[in-house]
Each structure stands twice: as structure tokens, then as C-alpha cells.
Amino acid sequence: MSADPDGMTDGGAEAAGNKPRDSPGLPLMGRHRLSPQPAAALEQCWLVGSCGALQPEQLGSLVQCLLHRINRRGGGQPGEGPGTRLPEADSPLRGGGLLDCGGCRELLSEPVTLRCGHTWCRRCLRRSPRCPGCGEAAAGTQSLRSNVVLSHLLPKWFPAEARRIRNKVKLEELLAECRFPEALTLLEQLELKPSDALQSYRADSYAGLQLFREAIEDMEAGCSRRPAWPEQMSNVPKTAEGELACLSRTQSIQLLPRVENLVGLKRVSSAPLLSRQEKAVLMKRKLSFSDQEIKETGNGKKKHQKQDTEQLFHSSSSEKTITKDLVDASDFECSLCMRLFLEPITTLCGHTFCKGCLERSLDHSPLCPLCKDSLKEYLENRKYAVTYLLEEVIARYLSEELRERQRVHNEETAELSNLTRNVPIFVCTMAYPTVPCPLHVFEPRYRLMIRRCIETGTKRFGMCISDPHNGFTDFGCMLHIRNIHFLPDGRSIVDTVGGNCFKVLERGQKDGYYIANIEYLKDVKVAGEELVKLVDLHDEVYAQACKWFQNLKSRFHSQILQHFGPMPERDTNIQGPPNGPAWCWWLLAVLPVDPKYQLSVLSMTSLKNRLIKIQKILTYFSSARDQSK
């Protein structure tokens, strides 16, 4: 194999305006333009070899280079560059165990969890600008740190396999940097067994040092230990041809004997006693029957070959089986709540927390609680993707602990969703039934409170004004969240509207904010003559309120309309709503009255007394306006 097989362009010649790279193993790269189609390119290789332009070792190097290029392009879609595709979750090339990377089908090495929640080897992510699992953009993967939990667990559970993967990555780096002597030295230090797949990197090293005969011997020895490999690759369906781009360097080397057998290259390059003309005739005969041989290989499968194939593809995953004794629940504890991960979220800095714990931490600071890296992106986007791999490991091997963790969480959620006991209380301003009440939420305790109201589905909390003795007053109004807009720094604008009035029975605190046991207030209904008098009083006060509002200065009039909207229409059934007509509360909200006076009206359960209070206020303001004239 040449030192830089990627020096070829799509057609095998130099790119426009660029000189071809010098390669002692490929002296004709700049003069013979190879076809981008694999079959045609191989035929041209035969022509090049038959004309005597290349020595057998050089021809073998050329074929290796071509195969490496084919593997990298791998039948991708038009316009896709080399190495831009990785296998999907249902790809026939996926295979492997739970902790295997879906790209290279080996134990995860430098596991990186993307924003979408999928985890891959860092080196596999370098081949694609998008997540291979879901297609979400994975730009900036170089800045993402390795998943701390997985990086700790993998060497702990599979020390030998983890070391092998590290050595493989190191060898790939050395070969990519053309440091072939160092790669050979490392292989000697590892003292690998002849059956170890890492031995195939020695062939790469030999090829890089132009020791082609030694390289071919290593490749042939390696492929002889994997007799089922050619059949397995011939059985890959055409729909998966594009997935071949994810094959590692080791697998691309193992593909060489199959192509050599099909087109006769191995026999030509390794038969020094044949004349050049005899080699050409032999290769031509092999080329003419290559398609037939491929077909026969696919149809004439033998039982023992299938077994060899299955052993080849599944032996590595069987060595990485996770047993119950390997899994320790303490390895999956959130560092914030010190409990088992529930909806584990891995941040961009590689740390993992429960979703709820991370949100609570971000209420106080936009920094990672462990390393202090910025996590403002979560505040801006409000997207928290669960780390699927950790969630699957916990569900599979810590099922009992997870059920207990979920039970406790459900109990806490049920407690928070009760609308009469432990109701969250926002201590701020006066709120009234049916009247809009926009809120600017910035305190961490209220960020948590609002989020819990959303998560439990109630979307309700109580609003009371402050009291110096008890923390908040004895009466308040429930608010219903209609909409919420999160700001990039974690603050939020919450659009609420008033619900029922309530009386506080018992006070308390939870996680920094107030809670209370409450009972809802309802107006006492009347009938008969009292109802007739109540209707007359209602109509009289309503007309007085409309007159007062119309006589306001245009400046105040427009401000009220902008903030509270128009005055509600008169109700036909004044005793229908539990807290009386909506216009009474709208008027009480816009009148410039002391909050304590407004609170006294809010606490009433008699519509008659409420109307009398409002009438007194309107009379006072009307007389004050007349005196000012």
C-alpha cells in the first residue's frame, strides 16, 4: 500500500491545478488515469500490468490503493465526499454489543455524546458532519469532550479490549502521519498473537516503507485466518454498499484477497515463474469470469462457511458481554442528587446529570456544576436530549433500582400536582379572577416552581402579596399559565390569567419557595327578592363603572386598554361564576386603590358586599374629579 492512498482523485489522476504526489510504489499514477467505476478500474490495472509498466509488487500496491479508495467512497450518494457516511441503526454492518460503536462496530473509543443523545467514537464522528444515528448536525465535535461516565466504565469493564482499541487508535495515528518505523516498533512492543487483527497494521507499515513483499505476505497470512470474510462481504446487499465507507483500514486490507481472487491479481503478483504474457492471459481469463464467480459465491454457500462468518462477526461482541456483577449502581449516580440517573443528560463538557438536576442547577448558574464550562446553550434552546446508551444500560442491568427511582419520582410529581395541598405560592403582586397577569420570572426558586407547574401538567400556582409577619397574606388568587417565553439567560416571561380565589389554611416551604394548603372561595348565592335587589345593584354599579372609565383622560384610558384589555361585558347570569362577574375584577385591578383594600374585596364571598365596596370607590373618585374641576 502506498504511503498516501488518498492522493488519488475520483478518476485516479491529480486534481486540476495540482501535481500528483510522488509515490515510489505508484510510478504511473500521473500517466494512467483510472476509471471511477471499480470493475473498469480493475480491468485497467490488468492492462497496466500486462503491458509491463509495473512490477508485480507495484501492481499489488496499486490495487491496494484502489481498494482503499473504493472502500472510502463506498457507493455513496452522488456528491458525497469520501467517508461522509456511517451505518444507520438498522444497517447490516452494525452488529456488535451494547457498548459497541455503530460506526466501527468496536468497543467505544473516546465516546462522545452529541447534543441529540447518541454516542459514537470520536474518530468515527470525524467522517461525518452529522450524527449517523439521527442525521442531526454534529458540527464542532472536536470541541466536545468525551463522556466522563462511559470513559470511566469501559476500561473498568473491559480492560483488555479497551487497551486494544487504544493501541489501534495509536497505530492509525502513526500510519496517518507516515511514521511507519514507530508503528512497527509499537507492534513489536505489544507482542500480539498471530491471530490478532492488529497485525494487519504491520502490512500497512511495510507498504509505507516500500517493503511490498513483506506487506503482501502479512496480508495473505491475515486473510488465511479469516476464510469466511470474502463470502460475508459478497453477501452484503446492494442497499448497504454505501455503508462500506465506514470500514476500518484493517477491513479494507482484508477485502484485498477477495478482489485478487476474482480478477487473478494475487496469482499474477505472487507467481514469479510465469512469464509476463502468461500472467496477462491468466488475468484476462479471470476477468471474463469474475461476474459469474461472484454470483456463484453468493448462491453456493456452505454450512461451515456460514458458521465461520458468524464467528467472525460476533466473536468480538461476545467478548464484551456485560454481566450483572460488572454493573455497580454507584457508577450511575448523579453528582447533584446522589441518586440513580433519571433521564440522564450528558452536557457538552462530558458530564452527566439527571435532567431535573441539570435544570435546577441552570436556574442558579449557566455553568456546569462540576467543571464550570458554559452551558448557556441549554438555556437558549431549552433542548435536553437523553443519553440513550446510559439510559439503556440502566434499564437493562439496574431495572429494580430504576423502578424504585421512578416510583419516588412519581410520588413527588403527584404531590406537586395536588391543587389544594402544598400548592406553590408566588409572592409578588395582587391577582384577580379572569384578569391577565404577566410575570417576569428571574429568581432561581421561582424558575424551579414554574417549571414544576409545567411538568406536572397543572400549569397552576397561587399568587399572594407579601406579609411581614407570615411571609404572605391569608388570601390570594390562583393563576393559570397560558404561555411561557424563555430568554437566553434563563429568565422567562410567563403569561398567566387569574382563576379562583382561595384562603390559606397552612403555610410551608419547599426547595426555597412557599407552599400552602388552601381552600377555594365561592360566592354565596341568593334567591327571590334578594336576587332582584342584587341584580338592580349590579346594573347600577356597572353603569357607574362604565361612566368612570369613559371619563378617564385619553392617556390613562389607552394605558389600561394596552395592559388589561377592554372592560368585560355585563354578565347575564351574575351568580354563574364562582367568584362573581368578570367586570368587577377587571375594574378592581385598574382602580388605583391600596392593595390592602383590594385584598379585603378579594376575600369576600358575598357579591352584594363586593359591589357595595366597588361603588364606594367609584363614588370617591367621581367626587374627587368634580372637586378638581
Side-chain angles (χ1 to χ4, degrees), residues 289-302:
F289 290 99
S290 60
D291 294 337
Q292 180 180 353
E293 290 178 4
I294 293 174
K295 185 176 180 180
E296 291 176 355
T297 303
N299 296 332
K301 294 180 288 186
K302 297 181 181 179

Side-chain angles (χ1 to χ4, degrees), residues 414-426 461-464 470 472-478 501-510 513-521:
E415 180 183 354
L416 294 172
S417 60
N418 194 309
L419 293 178
T420 57
R421 295 183 57 82
N422 298 324
V423 176
I425 302 296
F426 198 123
F461 60 92
M463 174 64 78
C464 295
N470 298 320
F472 54 95
T473 55
D474 293 333
F475 295 91
C477 178
M478 292 295 291
C501 300
F502 63 83
K503 179 182 179 180
V504 175
L505 303 178
E506 187 177 352
R507 292 171 170 80
Q509 283 193 352
K510 184 178 181 64
Y513 59 84
Y514 286 108
I515 56 175
N517 297 339
I518 64 174
E519 67 174 0
Y520 295 102
L521 302 179

Side-chain angles (χ1 to χ4, degrees), residues 543-559:
Q544 189 176 357
C546 292
K547 182 179 178 181
W548 171 83
F549 184 61
Q550 292 172 357
N551 292 333
L552 283 176
K553 294 182 180 180
S554 58
R555 179 166 59 91
F556 297 125
H557 193 275
S558 60
Q559 287 178 352

Side-chain angles (χ1 to χ4, degrees), residues 574-623:
I574 60 176
Q575 293 192 111
N579 297 118
W583 69 266
C584 294
W585 300 113
W586 180 91
L587 185 65
L588 192 63
V590 301
L591 287 171
V593 183
D594 186 86
K596 292 182 179 180
Y597 193 88
Q598 293 174 323
L599 183 64
S600 65
V601 179
L602 186 73
S603 62
M604 293 180 177
T605 57
S606 170
L607 176 58
K608 176 183 176 180
N609 294 339
R610 190 180 304 121
L611 289 172
I612 293 174
K613 280 269 190 180
I614 293 175
Q615 189 177 41
K616 289 181 179 179
I617 298 172
L618 292 173
T619 302
Y620 171 80
F621 281 116
S622 297
S623 60

Side-chain angles (χ1 to χ4, degrees), residues 115-159:
R115 295 171 177 87
C116 57
H118 296 107
T119 304
W120 305 86
C121 292
R122 185 182 298 276
R123 58 195 176 117
C124 291
L125 288 174
R126 291 170 183 157
R127 302 168 180 160
S128 175
R130 295 186 174 275
C131 172
C134 64
E136 183 175 328
T141 54
Q142 296 299 325
S143 61
L144 296 179
R145 298 183 187 175
S146 299
N147 188 308
V148 174
V149 174
L150 291 175
S151 298
H152 165 71
L153 289 178
L154 296 176
K156 176 181 177 181
W157 290 351
F158 313 109

Side-chain angles (χ1 to χ4, degrees), residues 25-90:
L26 300 174
L28 301 181
M29 289 290 291
R31 289 181 285 162
H32 293 269
R33 186 175 184 83
L34 296 179
S35 169
Q37 299 300 323
L42 289 172
E43 186 174 357
Q44 291 182 25
C45 288
W46 164 70
L47 294 174
V48 171
S50 63
C51 70
L54 290 177
Q55 297 299 320
E57 295 83 359
Q58 295 172 329
L59 181 59
S61 178
L62 176 60
V63 173
Q64 277 189 277
C65 186
L66 174 63
L67 287 174
H68 186 73
R69 183 64 172 177
I70 292 172
N71 290 337
R72 292 195 61 189
R73 298 192 61 187
Q77 297 298 328
E80 289 184 343
T84 58
R85 299 188 63 187
L86 290 173
E88 303 294 339
D90 57 350

